[in-house]
């Protein structure tokens, strides 16, 4: 009976954080679907490819925080790194390609849309969408996670586990939307400025992956650290190539004259 109760307690301790982490993604998935249908009835149909990107991004995020991959990530650093790539890089990029803010502004009534626009124009929004600040949150957070005891402590504390995973996703999303403009952003930064920050951030990510390969994070066997470092390095490059392509495409379409000046026509281009 005692053994049975212990098993139940262990099962609940594993399932609870997965439910807490997955629930917000399930909610935004449902809200996005409702908004897309409602917006399509008021205006032209919401583009299918944006919905597909959003759904794929949300599913990847859920896959990384709940289910077999999330279970294995507790004991296998390679699985953890795959989860990290999904949650912190690929899912944010795909979800940003779903243009969620544009959908919200299009779906809400005019007074509510104006309130959302006011929030987007606020100083706090300007701070969080600044490429340097978003990069520090994103890349700086990863350095803190893998070069201190935070990684091992994360597996001992449910609260730390939740905070780290939410941070990895939110920082990855902020970094993505601060570099490539999909949705309306009132505080626009010149392309050349964002390009410099992007290069520096990618370098920081690549150096960290090599550091992990050479010096295992606390509590991680050397063999797992080597495979995890390679997954972070090459997997990160694959996502970065897509991000760089989208960034350069927007830069090209903006009509930039390549003389360190502001774009001639517009600073935002649809993909």
């Amino acid at each position: 009976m005692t053994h049975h109760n212990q098993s139940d307690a262990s099962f609940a301790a594993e399932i609870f954080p997965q439910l807490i982490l997955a629930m917000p993604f399930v909610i935004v998935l449902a809200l996005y679907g409702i908004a897309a249908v409602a917006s399509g009835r008021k205006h032209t149909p919401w583009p299918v490819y944006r919905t597909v990107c959003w759904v794929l991004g949300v599913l990847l995020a859920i896959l990384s925080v709940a289910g077999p991959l999330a279970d294995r990530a507790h004991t296998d650093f390679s699985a953890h790194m795959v989860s990290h790539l999904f949650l912190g890089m690929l899912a944010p990029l795909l979800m940003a390609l779903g243009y969620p803010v544009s959908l919200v502004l299009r779906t809400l009534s005019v007074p509510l849309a104006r309130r959302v626009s006011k929030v987007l124009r606020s100083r706090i929004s300007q701070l969080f969408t600044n490429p340097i600040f978003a990069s520090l949150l994103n890349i700086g957070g990863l350095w803190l996670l893998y070069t201190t005891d935070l990684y091992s402590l994360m597996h001992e504390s449910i609260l730390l586990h939740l905070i780290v995973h939410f941070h990895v996703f939110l920082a990855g999303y902020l970094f993505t939307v601060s570099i490539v403009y999909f949705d309306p952003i009132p505080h626009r930064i010149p392309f050349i400025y964002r390009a410099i920050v992007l290069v520096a951030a990618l370098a920081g990510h690549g150096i960290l992956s090599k550091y992990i390969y050479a010096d295992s994070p606390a509590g991680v066997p050397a063999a797992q650290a080597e495979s995890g470092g390679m997954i972070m390095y090459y997997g990160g490059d694959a996502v970065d190539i897509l991000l760089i392509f989208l960034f350069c495409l927007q830069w090209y379409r903006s009509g930039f004259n390549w003389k360190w000046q502001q774009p001639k026509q517009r600073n935002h281009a649809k993909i």
Side-chain angles (χ1 to χ4, degrees), residues 135-163:
S135 298
L136 289 175
L137 285 178
N138 189 26
I139 307 301
L142 294 178
W143 273 90
L144 183 66
L145 176 62
Y146 296 122
T147 60
T148 67
D149 292 333
L150 182 58
Y151 177 76
S152 58
L153 292 174
M154 179 185 73
H155 293 94
E156 300 172 3
S157 168
I158 293 179
L159 180 60
L160 269 180
H161 179 84
L162 296 176
I163 292 174

Side-chain angles (χ1 to χ4, degrees), residues 8-21:
D8 288 345
S10 176
F11 180 75
E14 292 177 0
I15 293 300
F16 176 72
Q18 293 189 13
L19 289 176
I20 295 296
L21 287 170

Side-chain angles (χ1 to χ4, degrees), residues 21-267:
L21 287 170
M23 189 59 67
F25 293 108
V26 174
I27 292 174
V28 296
L29 180 63
L31 290 177
Y32 188 97
I34 293 171
V37 173
S39 174
R41 289 175 178 173
K42 291 170 58 178
H43 310 283
T44 56
W46 185 247
V48 175
Y49 86 88
R50 295 183 183 180
T51 303
V52 171
C53 288
W54 181 264
V55 171
L56 287 176
V58 171
L59 291 180
L60 279 177
I62 294 175
L63 178 67
S64 64
V65 298
L69 179 60
D71 287 336
R72 188 171 177 181
H74 285 287
T75 56
D76 187 338
F77 189 70
S78 300
H80 164 80
M81 198 51 71
V82 173
S83 172
H84 154 75
L85 290 175
F86 286 170
L87 185 64
M89 298 186 72
L90 191 53
L93 178 57
L94 288 170
M95 291 175 71
L97 280 167
Y99 290 71
V101 177
S102 299
L103 179 59
V104 168
L105 293 175
R106 197 168 103 140
T107 306
L108 294 177
S109 62
V110 173
L112 289 176
R114 285 175 177 168
R115 292 184 181 181
V116 174
S117 298
K118 187 176 180 180
V119 173
L120 294 175
R121 293 194 299 270
S122 66
R123 291 187 179 275
I124 190 69
S125 172
Q126 181 180 13
L127 174 65
F128 280 95
T129 56
N130 183 285
I132 291 181
F133 187 80
S135 298
L136 289 175
L137 285 178
N138 189 26
I139 307 301
L142 294 178
W143 273 90
L144 183 66
L145 176 62
Y146 296 122
T147 60
T148 67
D149 292 333
L150 182 58
Y151 177 76
S152 58
L153 292 174
M154 179 185 73
H155 293 94
E156 300 172 3
S157 168
I158 293 179
L159 180 60
L160 269 180
H161 179 84
L162 296 176
I163 292 174
V164 167
H165 281 75
F166 278 127
H167 174 84
V168 167
F169 170 76
L170 291 174
Y173 186 84
L174 284 175
F175 173 73
T176 301
V177 299
S178 72
I179 296 295
V180 186
Y181 292 162
F182 301 112
D183 281 313
I185 293 184
H187 313 288
R188 295 182 175 278
I189 305 294
F191 279 102
I192 190 69
Y193 179 99
R194 283 181 277 152
I196 293 172
V197 176
L198 175 60
V199 171
L202 299 188
H205 191 269
I207 293 171
L208 177 59
S209 64
K210 294 180 179 179
Y211 182 88
I212 290 172
Y213 182 91
D215 191 357
S216 309
V220 177
Q224 290 189 18
E226 291 177 0
S227 61
M230 287 192 291
I231 291 171
M232 183 179 182
Y233 186 81
Y234 293 110
D237 278 355
V239 181
D240 289 341
I241 288 172
L242 181 58
L243 185 66
I244 292 170
F245 170 77
L246 294 172
F247 177 77
C248 292
L249 182 61
Q250 285 192 349
W251 197 346
Y252 174 77
R253 288 182 173 177
S254 71
F256 194 78
N257 61 10
W258 303 96
K259 293 182 180 178
W260 294 71
Q261 298 177 5
Q262 292 293 328
K264 292 178 180 177
Q265 300 172 354
R266 55 181 177 168
N267 199 14

